[in-house]
Amino acid sequence: MSSAKSPSVSPLAPASMPTLPAIRGVGLATAQAGIRYSGRTDVLYVGLDAGTAAAGVFTRSRCPSAPVDWCREALAAGSAQVLVVNSGNANAFTGSRGRDAVALTARIAAAAAGCTEGEVFVASTGVIGEPLDATKFEGVLAECAARTAAGAEAWDAAARAIMTTDTFPKSASRTAEIDGVAVTINGIAKGAGMIAPDMATMLAFVFTDAALPQPVLQAMLTAGADKSFNCVTVDGDTSTSDTLMLFATGAAATVPVSDAADPRLAGFRAALDDLLIELAQLVAKDGEGARKFVTVEVGGAESDASAHRIAMSIANSPLVKTAVAGEDANWGRVVMAVGKAGEPADRDRLAIWFGDVRVAVAGARDPDYSEDAASAVMRKSDVVVRVDLGLGAGKARVWTCDLTKGYIEINGDYRS
Amino acid sequence: MSSAKSPSVSPLAPASMPTLPAIRGVGLATAQAGIRYSGRTDVLYVGLDAGTAAAGVFTRSRCPSAPVDWCREALAAGSAQVLVVNSGNANAFTGSRGRDAVALTARIAAAAAGCTEGEVFVASTGVIGEPLDATKFEGVLAECAARTAAGAEAWDAAARAIMTTDTFPKSASRTAEIDGVAVTINGIAKGAGMIAPDMATMLAFVFTDAALPQPVLQAMLTAGADKSFNCVTVDGDTSTSDTLMLFATGAAATVPVSDAADPRLAGFRAALDDLLIELAQLVAKDGEGARKFVTVEVGGAESDASAHRIAMSIANSPLVKTAVAGEDANWGRVVMAVGKAGEPADRDRLAIWFGDVRVAVAGARDPDYSEDAASAVMRKSDVVVRVDLGLGAGKARVWTCDLTKGYIEINGDYRS
């Protein structure tokens, strides 16, 4: 993780970072606690107004990190006053010392914020298996609590403090109305490797000033995660620390809505989903070593779930991903990935497109297929792979990146 | 596939090829049919004595190749007189033209051997989606039938004719006794990429002069595949063409045994299993870009099946495989791979070894762990990763290789 090893910024990074507005009830501060990195921030402190509702979606790993265990428990109460995130150390697979480290972090944060430990949420990202020295937060969090800010610079600093192998900070913002009251949603995320299907995400934190009961918030976040972070993969490796949280301060004083399906939430839900998708796509665009952003669309499947599994099989296939890296319109590998997914598929009904170029139809090469046209698609930095199974109406869309030597370089020597 | 692109021989290749003895009832010939390659053989013709029993295990891909469809059908009768294998074109995803190409190949081979088309088995390996011009076999197969040979050179030539991205030919031999009668087992295999769990293999063909009824042969082959080829992975990508076949000519005139569980078959079964494991390991040792051979052993699982899925999760993890490539004893990634497998696991009971060095125990870093000792293990060309889940008696062992830039190089531009 020395600067010598830091890859240059992903060619898929957005041209500019969005400018995030303040969210009433949210104050941010970052600091250098010296967890692992030197010369950069590695702690994010987020102060939240009393009464903030919290929702979360976490890794499905059977070996979750200590902070994930903590957050799951704290969510039972569902109200939050502080979020502490550190980078450089995941506090995962650290045994009882890991649990102690989270408890100490919560104690320090609660004292700094003047709240109970149960209102503190903690997330850690970085190396697995190294003990986290939480005493480094002593003083740091109290100092952070005293100087929280809410402006665009604070959001930008927050997105940077949680980065590990990320080559650019990731943030997004949306506005919506709930029953005529304007609300804002801001989100930040980090993640570049160990990004996999069937999970929550790496780390992503979303904040809104809407007033929403915890069950409503949780229902919308769970549904949104399924359409966004659960549709992105870099390497098929699921982190022990994946955490997606949504905090609603209620400062906008919207009419309380008791059901996530309430039509008055339609605009908010659409804005939230859209923001989550943007953050998830940013993670794929910063996939370790990525040079191309790949959208995989599967249609004609027996069900949406079946389409999703086939899309993930394609998006996770090393042979498909290296073909994209080599700008090779190698649809045979797409056939292979459809076939290995274990889902209903009829070889002789398959059709495959790269971009708008149909390369295969009815179980064989498209007779009108132009290699030149397909190659032109593959040379772009955004590549769409589309498959029609011809069986039913199930469909899915997932995002990934190509697999390059850069990925091997970054991961062949991450620890040392 | 020009020589300019051919990688040099895998550093994991055996120092020398074994010398295979003749198998009574088996005659081999190879030829250059010009399917795709120039200046090398690309067809293997194997003549089998009348009455030869055939057993097979095939890809579980939902999009199997035309030859796999053909072999599955021919196996219903279960007797074989010819095996034709070509390299350079997989005849997969070639629609009705693919079916026609296999039928024509069978017709030409049957005429050459003087048998029925139903006694012809066909396998193809190479590019997916390109039509296979089976007329190229006209004349070639008849010419092969007229000059079959049985000696070591013929076996060596056979192993070479079926290679694609393989960097060395793969063969193995064993002897056994069935009720006092000596029998021989020879096998050849090919495969280097698109090697994945939950499958049969790429292509492997095993021959014996034992006299065994087809159901007995099939039962032993299915069981043997589960312990060998189904325990090897290079990239988690399952081929459309995976084919493992076992032919028994009966020339050794062993006492017919009607039950695979017959104790008189114990020696034969052990020899067969051992040969299949050797061939499967050779495939992992020729994994595209491989510099290290990796054995993953999982114990203490709730069941053998659970152990196998966890072992495969480790063996297929890009992050584990790049860590091995980087000679990095990164056991945190092993924890990650255990956690994502979706199988019962208790983080706080996990222990992990690299070679004989225990790096983690009871859910945390081993306090006595020596980074130097672990690094010494990682520098070897054979690396054993061992995990004890501490839950039960289930165990499994699988084989794989590391993930290097060589893999990206080979697969980033295979077709062109």
Side-chain angles (χ1 to χ4, degrees):
Chain A
M1 292 299 297
S2 66
S3 62
K5 252 181 260 158
S6 287
S8 53
V9 173
S10 167
L12 305 170
S16 66
M17 285 279 293
T19 301
L20 268 57
I23 301 260
R24 287 164 290 173
V26 179
L28 311 141
T30 60
Q32 299 189 14
I35 301 294
R36 179 182 180 87
Y37 310 130
S38 59
R40 57 156 281 189
T41 56
D42 56 4
V43 179
L44 166 64
Y45 175 98
V46 185
L48 299 158
D49 274 6
T52 293
V57 179
F58 303 94
T59 180
R60 291 182 198 157
S61 170
R62 297 301 190 102
C63 300
S65 68
V68 164
D69 282 348
W70 175 276
C71 287
R72 279 209 173 95
E73 207 165 308
L75 259 195
S79 85
Q81 286 210 41
V82 195
L83 166 70
V84 177
V85 188
N86 77 272
S87 53
N89 186 314
N91 192 14
F93 209 63
T94 40
S96 59
R97 291 176 69 181
R99 286 184 284 273
D100 294 346
V102 180
L104 178 57
T105 307
R107 200 150 60 239
I108 298 169
C115 66
T116 69
E117 290 166 25
E119 292 168 310
V120 176
F121 288 80
V122 179
S124 297
T125 177
V127 169
I128 297 176
E130 299 285 330
L132 172 67
D133 179 7
T135 62
K136 295 197 171 172
F137 297 128
E138 302 264 24
V140 170
L141 299 187
E143 186 269 331
C144 281
R147 59 168 172 86
T148 57
E153 299 76 18
W155 285 101
D156 185 69
R160 290 177 193 279
I162 64 175
M163 289 166 63
T164 57
T165 56
D166 305 66
T167 72
F168 61 89
K170 299 165 186 69
S171 64
S173 182
R174 294 289 187 281
T175 55
E177 281 194 2
I178 298 177
D179 207 20
V181 179
V183 299
T184 305
I185 316 173
N186 280 359
I188 59 173
K190 64 80 54 180
M194 214 179 270
I195 302 292
D198 198 25
M199 58 144 200
T201 173
M202 282 299 284
L203 297 185
F205 305 101
V206 183
F207 305 86
T208 179
D209 49 5
L212 293 165
Q214 201 278 338
V216 171
L217 209 60
Q218 184 65 49
M220 287 197 292
L221 185 64
T222 301
D226 277 343
K227 285 179 267 183
S228 56
F229 287 102
N230 285 348
C231 293
V232 69
T233 179
V234 167
D235 50 16
D237 274 346
T238 302
S239 163
T240 53
S241 308
D242 295 333
T243 298
L244 165 62
M245 293 199 71
L246 169 60
F247 300 95
T249 66
T254 49
V255 181
V257 173
S258 61
D259 181 357
D262 192 306
R264 287 173 295 178
L265 289 179
F268 182 85
R269 184 202 322 281
L272 175 64
D273 287 353
D274 203 46
L275 176 142
L276 292 174
I277 287 171
E278 180 173 341
L279 289 178
Q281 290 184 342
L282 287 173
V283 169
K285 286 180 177 173
D286 205 8
E288 288 168 343
R291 312 295 295 173
K292 290 178 191 288
F293 176 68
V294 182
T295 302
V296 178
E297 297 176 352
V298 173
E302 286 204 347
S303 68
D304 287 353
S306 180
H308 181 80
R309 283 190 284 269
I310 291 169
M312 277 298 191
S313 179
I314 296 167
N316 274 322
S317 160
L319 288 171
V320 170
K321 292 161 83 86
T322 50
V324 173
E327 305 191 336
D328 177 10
N330 194 323
W331 53 270
R333 295 183 184 175
V334 178
V335 176
M336 177 281 301
V338 170
K340 80 165 181 168
E343 292 296 312
D346 180 341
R347 180 185 58 199
D348 298 336
R349 291 190 194 192
L350 269 189
I352 299 170
W353 290 256
F354 287 113
D356 292 330
V357 181
R358 190 174 69 183
V359 290
V361 63
R365 188 167 63 185
D366 189 326
D368 301 325
Y369 154 55
S370 148
E371 180 85 24
D372 283 353
S375 292
V377 168
M378 303 309 287
R379 281 195 296 273
K380 295 183 180 169
S381 62
D382 275 31
V383 175
V384 177
V385 179
R386 186 150 67 91
V387 172
D388 191 317
L389 296 164
L391 297 178
K395 60 187 169 55
R397 189 176 51 174
V398 307
W399 303 281
T400 188
C401 56
D402 56 345
L403 174 58
T404 69
K405 289 182 190 172
Y407 181 88
I408 311 291
E409 219 154 70
I410 293 164
N411 289 300
D413 196 17
Y414 172 87
R415 279 201 326 166
S416 46
Chain B
M1 291 299 296
S2 66
S3 61
K5 252 180 260 159
S6 287
S8 53
V9 173
S10 166
L12 305 170
S16 66
M17 283 280 292
T19 302
L20 269 56
I23 301 263
R24 287 164 291 173
V26 179
L28 311 140
T30 59
Q32 298 189 16
I35 301 293
R36 179 182 179 87
Y37 309 131
S38 58
R40 57 156 281 190
T41 56
D42 56 4
V43 179
L44 166 63
Y45 175 98
V46 184
L48 300 158
D49 275 5
T52 292
V57 179
F58 302 95
T59 180
R60 291 183 198 155
S61 170
R62 297 300 190 102
C63 299
S65 68
V68 164
D69 282 348
W70 175 275
C71 288
R72 279 209 173 95
E73 206 165 309
L75 260 194
S79 85
Q81 285 209 43
V82 194
L83 167 69
V84 178
V85 188
N86 75 271
S87 53
N89 185 314
N91 192 16
F93 209 63
T94 40
S96 58
R97 289 177 69 180
R99 288 185 282 275
D100 294 346
V102 180
L104 178 57
T105 306
R107 199 149 62 237
I108 297 170
C115 67
T116 68
E117 291 165 25
E119 292 167 309
V120 176
F121 288 80
V122 179
S124 298
T125 177
V127 170
I128 297 174
E130 299 284 330
L132 171 67
D133 179 7
T135 62
K136 294 197 171 170
F137 296 129
E138 301 265 26
V140 171
L141 299 187
E143 186 269 331
C144 282
R147 60 169 172 84
T148 57
E153 299 77 16
W155 284 101
D156 186 70
R160 289 177 194 279
I162 64 174
M163 290 164 63
T164 56
T165 56
D166 305 67
T167 72
F168 62 88
K170 299 165 186 70
S171 64
S173 182
R174 294 290 186 282
T175 55
E177 281 193 2
I178 299 177
D179 208 19
V181 179
V183 299
T184 305
I185 316 174
N186 281 358
I188 59 173
K190 65 81 51 180
M194 214 179 269
I195 302 291
D198 198 27
M199 58 143 201
T201 173
M202 283 298 285
L203 297 185
F205 305 101
V206 183
F207 305 86
T208 179
D209 49 4
L212 292 166
Q214 202 278 337
V216 172
L217 209 61
Q218 183 66 50
M220 287 197 292
L221 185 64
T222 301
D226 277 344
K227 285 178 267 184
S228 56
F229 287 103
N230 286 347
C231 293
V232 68
T233 179
V234 168
D235 50 15
D237 275 347
T238 302
S239 163
T240 52
S241 309
D242 295 334
T243 299
L244 166 63
M245 293 199 72
L246 170 59
F247 300 96
T249 66
T254 50
V255 180
V257 172
S258 61
D259 182 355
D262 192 306
R264 288 174 293 178
L265 289 180
F268 181 85
R269 184 202 319 281
L272 175 65
D273 287 353
D274 204 45
L275 176 141
L276 292 174
I277 287 171
E278 181 174 340
L279 289 178
Q281 289 184 343
L282 287 173
V283 169
K285 285 180 178 173
D286 205 8
E288 289 168 342
R291 312 295 296 174
K292 291 179 190 287
F293 177 69
V294 182
T295 302
V296 179
E297 297 176 353
V298 173
E302 286 205 346
S303 68
D304 288 354
S306 180
H308 180 80
R309 283 189 284 268
I310 290 169
M312 276 297 191
S313 178
I314 297 167
N316 273 324
S317 159
L319 288 171
V320 171
K321 293 159 82 85
T322 49
V324 174
E327 304 191 338
D328 176 11
N330 194 324
W331 54 271
R333 295 183 184 174
V334 178
V335 176
M336 176 281 301
V338 171
K340 79 165 181 166
E343 291 297 312
D346 180 341
R347 179 187 58 199
D348 298 337
R349 293 190 192 191
L350 269 189
I352 299 170
W353 290 256
F354 287 112
D356 292 330
V357 181
R358 190 175 68 184
V359 291
V361 63
R365 188 167 64 183
D366 190 326
D368 301 325
Y369 153 56
S370 149
E371 179 86 24
D372 283 353
S375 292
V377 168
M378 302 309 287
R379 281 194 295 273
K380 295 183 180 168
S381 62
D382 275 32
V383 175
V384 178
V385 179
R386 186 151 66 90
V387 172
D388 191 316
L389 296 165
L391 298 178
K395 61 185 169 55
R397 190 175 51 174
V398 307
W399 303 282
T400 189
C401 56
D402 56 345
L403 174 58
T404 70
K405 290 183 190 174
Y407 181 88
I408 311 291
E409 220 154 68
I410 293 164
N411 289 300
D413 197 17
Y414 173 87
R415 279 200 325 165
S416 48

